[in-house]
Amino acid sequence: MTKREHGTTKSYIIGFILSLMFTLIPYYLVVNKTVTGNALLATILGVAVLQMFVQIFFFLHLGRGPKPFYNVVFFFATAGIIVIVIGASLLIMSNLYRNMSPGEVTKKLAQGEGIAQVGDKKTGACQGVKNNHLVTISSGQVNPAHTQAQLCDTLTFINKDDRIRDIAFGSHPHHEEYGGQAEENLRKGYPKTITLNQAGTYEFHDHLDPQVTGSFNVSP
């Protein structure tokens, strides 16, 4: 094996410094909460890819062996499969967390069936509904921007734009759950109605267009 396949002391030092940098950067971002949500995940994944390339070229010396082409092809094929598996796993876990968390499922089922109480325990659902409030999204504008309602009223979202809206509760990118619901997919001509079964002041936004925001207050 030639010296070219091993690398030099200088290359090892450079690789070590870069590895250290790409380890400390994600740690700093997470601890100091400089970036959050999907931006943090994307940044960590990007740094991880850079870290992988550092390990490949400065320490594993991929491509310097007697059959570099085959080594590179097999390596990137394996790396691609790993990325697909990890990405799909993150997507599935995120979807399950939003739609299948125990508290959310219980509240949604209870509200759907109108079950306000089981034994001596209240479910948080409303047995009957009162007034309905309309929130219209047109040309990227929410009207009204703020809705004042009473407990057990209903709130109907109407999308008049051609693009799909993904209504999420809370401020972007920190989504939260309201009444057992995390997000509502809103298409033109297909309004969605929620029952206001939690008192307080809440925000909502379009996850696909965070500039589209609104709020509502539910009085007891």
Side-chain angles (χ1 to χ4, degrees):
M1 188 173 292
T2 64
K3 184 177 180 180
R4 179 177 173 272
E5 295 175 31
H6 279 292
T8 63
T9 302
K10 181 180 178 180
S11 67
Y12 284 126
I13 294 175
I14 293 174
F16 173 75
I17 294 174
L18 290 175
S19 297
L20 195 61
M21 287 175 52
F22 293 142
T23 301
L24 293 176
I25 289 174
Y27 176 80
Y28 174 83
L29 294 177
V30 172
V31 171
N32 292 278
K33 298 181 180 180
T34 308
V35 183
T36 59
N38 292 331
L40 176 62
L41 178 60
T43 303
I44 292 176
L45 291 176
V47 173
V49 171
L50 294 176
Q51 179 78 272
M52 180 185 71
F53 281 114
V54 169
Q55 299 296 326
I56 291 171
F57 293 110
F58 286 96
F59 297 105
L60 299 179
H61 311 296
L62 191 67
R64 297 184 182 181
K67 296 181 179 180
F69 177 75
Y70 295 109
N71 289 338
V72 171
V73 170
F74 287 133
F75 176 82
F76 281 104
T78 303
I81 293 174
I82 292 173
V83 169
I84 292 173
V85 170
I86 293 176
S89 299
L90 290 173
L91 181 63
I92 291 171
M93 288 188 291
S94 176
N95 186 66
L96 287 175
Y97 174 78
R98 290 197 306 267
N99 298 292
M100 295 298 290
S101 59
E104 182 179 342
V105 171
T106 301
K107 289 180 182 178
K108 289 179 72 173
L109 290 176
Q111 187 59 65
E113 297 295 329
I115 303 173
Q117 186 170 328
V118 177
D120 295 330
K121 186 177 181 180
K122 293 184 178 181
T123 63
C126 295
Q127 281 185 307
V129 294
K130 302 176 182 177
N131 298 320
N132 178 252
H133 304 270
L134 301 180
V135 173
T136 303
I137 302 176
S138 179
S139 300
Q141 298 296 319
V142 177
N143 184 37
H146 179 77
T147 300
Q148 184 68 41
Q150 298 288 323
L151 196 64
C152 292
D153 285 357
T154 55
L155 188 65
T156 299
F157 295 97
I158 301 174
N159 180 19
K160 292 188 176 182
D161 293 336
D162 292 328
R163 60 183 298 178
I164 296 177
R165 302 288 180 183
D166 189 8
I167 302 301
F169 299 102
S171 58
H172 184 77
H174 306 290
H175 296 183
E176 58 187 38
E177 181 184 315
Y178 180 80
Q181 296 177 244
E183 295 182 12
E184 284 286 356
N185 192 264
L186 193 63
R187 293 183 295 166
K188 184 177 182 180
Y190 294 88
K192 292 291 180 71
T193 301
I194 64 170
T195 300
L196 303 177
N197 52 19
Q198 291 180 200
T201 301
Y202 302 90
E203 297 180 355
F204 63 86
H205 64 278
D206 179 7
H207 179 63
L208 305 177
D209 184 7
Q211 300 300 319
V212 177
T213 62
S215 63
F216 57 93
N217 177 264
V218 182
S219 301

